Amino acid sequence: MGLRFRKSIKVMPGVRVNVGLRGSSVSVGGRGASINMGSRGVYANAGIPGSGLSYRTKLSGSSSSPRRYQQRIEREKQMQEVLRTFRAKLDEKGNLQLFDEDGELIKGKLKTHVWTEKKDLLETFLQKKMETINEDSEDLIRIHEETPSPNDTLEYEVLEFDQPKPLLPIKPNLPVKPVFKEIAPLSFFGKIFKQEAKYQAKKAANQDRFNKSLLDWEKRVGYIEAEHSQKTESYNTQLSKWEIDKVDFGNQQRNNQRQFSELLKSDKGFMENVLDERLSSLSWPRETLISYNINDDFSVDMDIDLPEIEDLPQQQASLASSGKKLNIKDKPQATLRMEYATHIHGIALKIMGTVFSTLPSCHKVTLSGYSQRLNTATGSIEDEYLYSVRVSRGKFEKINFSALDKVNPIDALESFDIVKKMTKTGVFKDITPFSN
């Protein structure tokens, strides 16, 4: 058994100072019950003398407990602050990095604590990042789903008459008409002291004040009524003009509507203006340049400068089994080529559908797509045609436009008259397009 106390010094009845190996302590009390206060805290001791039975319990912590408690409070504050202000960022390898408000990387136990408390939030962050990486590819290969039906003919948008209707002026409240208040009759004592003359003068002055206030009221009422009458007259004039303008505007809109339909079927210049505006309003996930010509028979020839395969997303992402990072990998070249083939065939469908739905007189579209590629014979970048397709309105209408998500744009174009040299793995070779 180790040596617990080296010395015990009695300083007064019932009190001892114990000098031990780890410092000193003070004991208060005698045999059977005492309290010991030392570096490890305050303990109560109880026992039955001579029985060998005793009991010891800790009443309070040691002198170092407040310091440890304060340290724990500071750590908790730090954790709460980090939970409130941390930022998440995904690096190029798919690792999720956490930063505090000072931009310092959060590591170790603190990072574990953030994951424990904010697991749902971080998992949602990773999910959205994964969807963002993969979503661009989905948009590209499904671009044909935006193809309008040839039967969705373009119509003139009749505008609403937007001039505000004049407001009827509100009739103003007139001032209250003054009421004549007679002065009290001459009193008994006034008569005795012969106050009649003074009373009559006061009565006359009261009448004059009333007459003046009545005259002022009549002038104010007259001015207000005249002003309101003028506003009402002006309102009637404006209302009459507004009603005429509204009828004229409606007639003009109906006339524009009739002219629009007629010009769109017969006027090449008008057709070009409308088609220009329609094509310019289309949204494209990658740069796509279009040139075209409307022929005298209203057939349309088009050339498209297609995006390059290098413009497509080169990577794909999936959630790691740990759920705490993304696996970001380069797409296999075969996958990338087929996505590119699907995208550029989808572009052709979308543009041809736009032409047919815009120009009701167009009965045929010839569309050729080219890309800038390296000519290994010359070492120069040259335009190479990847496909050329010709389709009539009647054949194009056979597509089920209510189920475009089930249409494969590659198969769709191959059902038309098409010139292309594409392998099963999506490799294109230069072709000679249909002549215009």
Side-chain angles (χ1 to χ4, degrees):
M1 181 176 178
L3 182 61
R4 183 173 177 186
F5 297 115
R6 292 179 61 187
K7 227 180 247 185
S8 180
I9 305 170
K10 188 171 184 179
V11 295
M12 67 178 65
V15 178
R16 294 187 304 278
V17 176
N18 307 301
V19 181
L21 296 175
R22 298 183 181 178
S24 62
S25 65
V26 178
S27 297
V28 180
R31 295 182 64 192
S34 65
I35 294 177
N36 179 261
M37 294 168 284
S39 61
R40 296 185 179 182
V42 180
Y43 288 84
N45 307 288
I48 302 174
S51 67
L53 299 175
S54 64
Y55 172 78
R56 179 178 174 85
T57 183
K58 189 173 183 180
L59 298 179
S60 67
S62 66
S63 59
S64 62
S65 292
R67 185 166 56 253
R68 288 201 299 269
Y69 175 76
Q70 187 62 33
Q71 291 172 348
R72 186 169 68 253
I73 293 298
E74 291 299 326
R75 284 197 302 271
E76 289 177 355
K77 285 183 179 179
Q78 181 187 15
M79 288 179 178
Q80 292 301 320
E81 185 66 17
V82 167
L83 288 176
R84 189 177 64 84
T85 62
F86 80 92
R87 294 182 296 107
K89 182 181 179 182
L90 197 71
D91 67 15
E92 59 184 12
K93 295 182 179 179
N95 297 310
L96 182 61
Q97 297 179 323
L98 304 177
F99 298 89
D100 62 21
E101 61 179 342
D102 296 324
E104 297 294 329
L105 190 64
I106 300 173
K107 301 178 181 179
K109 292 182 179 180
L110 203 52
K111 182 177 181 180
T112 302
H113 180 69
V114 175
W115 262 103
T116 300
E117 296 296 324
K118 300 292 183 179
K119 181 180 178 182
D120 291 344
L121 180 65
L122 295 176
E123 287 178 346
T124 301
F125 175 83
L126 285 174
Q127 184 69 28
K128 288 184 177 179
K129 285 293 184 182
M130 180 181 68
E131 291 173 357
T132 300
I133 294 171
N134 297 332
E135 187 176 26
D136 199 16
S137 296
E138 286 292 315
D139 290 342
L140 292 171
I141 63 178
R142 297 174 63 178
I143 193 171
H144 67 283
E145 295 181 16
E146 301 172 356
T147 304
S149 167
N151 298 319
D152 295 337
T153 54
L154 192 63
E155 295 182 355
Y156 178 79
E157 182 183 356
V158 177
L159 303 177
E160 295 289 337
F161 186 61
D162 60 357
Q163 295 299 319
K165 185 177 181 179
L167 298 176
L168 178 68
I170 299 173
K171 188 173 184 179
N173 294 324
L174 298 177
V176 179
K177 184 177 181 179
V179 178
F180 179 73
K181 295 182 180 180
E182 293 186 6
I183 63 174
L186 190 63
S187 65
F188 172 76
F189 291 103
K191 292 177 180 179
I192 292 177
F193 291 102
K194 298 180 180 181
Q195 298 287 326
E196 182 69 28
K198 189 175 181 180
Y199 169 76
Q200 291 299 330
K202 186 176 180 181
K203 188 176 180 180
N206 182 55
Q207 183 68 50
D208 289 342
R209 282 195 301 272
F210 171 74
N211 292 339
K212 183 179 179 182
S213 62
L214 182 62
L215 182 61
D216 289 342
W217 175 82
E218 290 172 345
K219 288 181 179 179
R220 290 177 61 194
V221 168
Y223 175 79
I224 292 172
E225 288 180 340
E227 185 180 38
H228 178 67
S229 177
Q230 185 179 7
K231 288 181 179 179
T232 302
E233 184 178 351
S234 176
Y235 160 77
N236 290 330
T237 302
Q238 293 175 19
L239 180 63
S240 178
K241 182 179 183 303
W242 179 85
E243 289 173 342
I244 293 172
D245 290 346
K246 183 178 181 182
V247 171
D248 290 345
F249 183 83
N251 292 334
Q252 183 63 49
Q253 287 296 303
R254 284 186 288 274
N255 185 50
N256 290 347
Q257 190 176 27
R258 286 192 297 270
Q259 288 186 347
F260 181 83
S261 299
E262 293 169 2
L263 293 173
L264 199 57
K265 293 177 182 178
S266 58
D267 190 303
K268 278 180 58 177
F270 188 79
M271 294 164 69
E272 287 177 354
N273 290 335
V274 175
L275 187 56
D276 277 349
E277 186 174 345
R278 186 81 186 278
L279 292 173
S280 299
S281 67
L282 297 177
S283 59
W284 299 99
R286 294 295 183 274
E287 185 177 83
T288 305
L289 303 179
I290 305 170
S291 58
Y292 69 91
N293 181 65
I294 299 177
N295 302 309
D296 291 339
D297 64 350
F298 302 133
S299 63
V300 176
D301 298 326
M302 312 189 79
D303 270 6
I304 308 174
D305 188 353
L306 299 166
E308 314 301 323
I309 191 171
E310 292 79 14
D311 295 332
L312 269 63
Q314 306 291 308
Q315 295 180 318
Q316 57 190 8
S318 61
L319 190 63
S321 58
S322 66
K324 294 187 176 182
K325 62 168 291 185
L326 296 182
N327 293 324
I328 301 177
K329 298 180 180 178
D330 291 335
K331 294 179 181 177
Q333 285 301 304
T335 300
L336 194 58
R337 288 196 298 269
M338 289 310 299
E339 287 184 355
Y340 179 70
T342 302
H343 176 57
I344 62 175
H345 282 73
I347 287 175
L349 275 181
K350 181 177 178 179
I351 293 176
M352 289 189 292
T354 301
V355 173
F356 281 128
S357 66
T358 304
L359 307 178
S361 296
C362 177
H363 60 90
K364 182 177 66 177
V365 174
T366 302
L367 185 149
S368 303
Y370 63 92
S371 177
Q372 288 71 43
R373 309 177 79 183
L374 176 66
N375 185 330
T376 56
T378 63
S380 302
I381 300 295
E382 299 177 359
D383 292 339
E384 289 189 1
Y385 282 89
L386 307 185
Y387 59 70
S388 185
V389 59
R390 176 174 290 163
V391 61
S392 66
R393 176 183 287 270
K395 198 162 188 178
F396 196 81
E397 287 176 342
K398 292 181 179 180
I399 296 174
N400 185 359
F401 290 93
S402 63
L404 286 172
D405 58 324
K406 296 179 174 61
V407 173
N408 184 317
I410 298 175
D411 295 341
L413 260 64
E414 289 177 350
S415 69
F416 308 147
D417 293 333
I418 188 169
V419 178
K420 72 173 179 179
K421 295 178 182 178
M422 186 187 85
T423 67
K424 292 182 178 181
T425 57
V427 177
F428 287 88
K429 293 184 179 180
D430 188 24
I431 57 100
T432 300
F434 287 118
S435 57
N436 296 332

